[in-house]
Amino acid sequence: MDDKFHHVALIGLGLIGSSLSLAMRRAGIADRITGHARSARTRAKALEMGLVDTVFDNPADAVRGADLIILCVPIGVYGTIAREIAPHLKPGAIVTDVGSVKAAVIRDTAPHIPTGVHFIPAHPIAGSERSGPEAGFTELFDGRWCILTPIPGTDETALGKVRKFWQNCGMSVDIMTPEHHDLVLAITSHLPHLIAYNIVGTAADLETVTESEVIKFSAGGFRDSTRLAASDPTMWRDVFLNNKEAVLEMLARFSEDLTALQRAIRWGEGETLFNLFARTRKIRRNIIDAGQDTEAPDFGRPHADTGKEGPARG
Ligand code: NAP
């Protein structure tokens, strides 16, 4: 199978779009890259950084003649973008994406994809709290997982090409249903972000502890939550609006478990607390052993030697 694409179109040139361009250039798998972003500033920056060969101020022009189209915009605008690009897609082209929720992305995008064009939804589980074209880096996807959630009737050759594409960008590939993806990500990504947003919001609203104290003493644990809570507000608003059911299901479980912890603290049940904390410590060990994080005590912040982010997210 030929790994190369003659023409790749990136719709959205932020953290993920720019990192994809860099990873494609490293792998030598795209002869030509065109791009589209909403603002003139991002478009100019992408051109200046060499992320794209040509940039367009509307998505329809960017996809004209493309063999592979990758949607890298917030999931709330997928439907609008899909409608705009649909009449300009080349027969036989492949449309894939990077959206953090899959069932809603398929609901909003698939109806617009013309017959003869392949739509293969994807989610690279890699990212950071930073946004924009300057935030991207070549190694973002290295050693991380990309989940493909094919829809019924998917063409096997197109699926194989998309699998190979993500592998060439440095990722391992897994396949699951969109619904299962959304449940898995609700607990591994969406809930941790919600909790981080909430804890940072609570601390900011406290009257008894001042904001300067919260910042001064943040090394006690708070600062690790602030990294997640610094994530892009548009992206995360769209994630919660579009993965409502799975997040609410996981949140219900979480609240039950939190109530149990609350009881254990109230009644001085030290053994309950100790047993849980011992179990959870092992999970972190397993993540390190699986190569999804490092031992570094400053995980989650840029490393002085490489300037790269720590854990994979998305
Ligand atoms: P980002 O850095 O904020 O970039 C978003 C890009 O989309 C920018 O180029 C932006 O253009 C463009 N855009 C926004 N609204 C648009 C619109 N209405 N029309 C056209 N272009 C528009 O975001 P990102 O982190 O790359 O996220 C992009 C996608 O990746 C999201 O769907 C997200 O769910 C998924 N994802 C993110 C992560 C993560 O950790 N960040 C991980 C995995 C997957 P301007 O710059 O001109 O506004």
Side-chain angles (χ1 to χ4, degrees), residues 74-75 100 128 232-240 313-314:
I75 53 181
S100 307
S128 84
D232 188 69
T234 305
M235 169 185 157
W236 284 96
R237 175 202 62 198
D238 288 0
V239 165
F240 291 114
R313 316 206 352 256

Side-chain angles (χ1 to χ4, degrees), residues 14-16 127-132 134-137 227 230-232 235 302 307-309 313:
L15 167 76
I16 302 293
S128 84
E129 72 282 13
R130 300 181 58 219
S131 309
E134 297 99 326
F137 57 95
R227 190 181 76 81
S231 298
D232 188 69
M235 169 185 157
K308 283 177 219 153
E309 303 297 325
R313 316 206 352 256

Side-chain angles (χ1 to χ4, degrees), residues 75-126:
I75 53 181
V77 295
Y78 269 45
T80 313
I81 298 264
R83 197 175 54 240
E84 281 175 40
I85 63 173
H88 309 281
L89 296 169
K90 187 168 96 171
I94 298 173
V95 176
T96 186
D97 80 300
V98 300
S100 307
V101 174
K102 297 277 47 111
V105 156
I106 294 168
R107 176 200 66 203
D108 293 350
T109 310
H112 299 290
I113 305 295
T115 312
V117 173
H118 309 287
F119 175 45
I120 318 262
H123 178 201
I125 315 294

Side-chain angles (χ1 to χ4, degrees), residues 218-236:
S218 62
F222 180 73
R223 72 177 178 193
D224 290 337
S225 299
T226 63
R227 190 181 76 81
L228 290 188
S231 298
D232 188 69
T234 305
M235 169 185 157
W236 284 96

Side-chain angles (χ1 to χ4, degrees), residues 124-128 140-145 171 188-189 193 227-228 287 291-294 300 309-314:
I125 315 294
S128 84
L140 178 68
F141 307 108
D142 288 353
R144 307 303 184 209
W145 285 91
M171 308 197 87
T188 56
S189 173
H193 278 81
R227 190 181 76 81
L228 290 188
I287 290 171
Q292 296 302 307
D293 204 357
T294 65
E309 303 297 325
R313 316 206 352 256

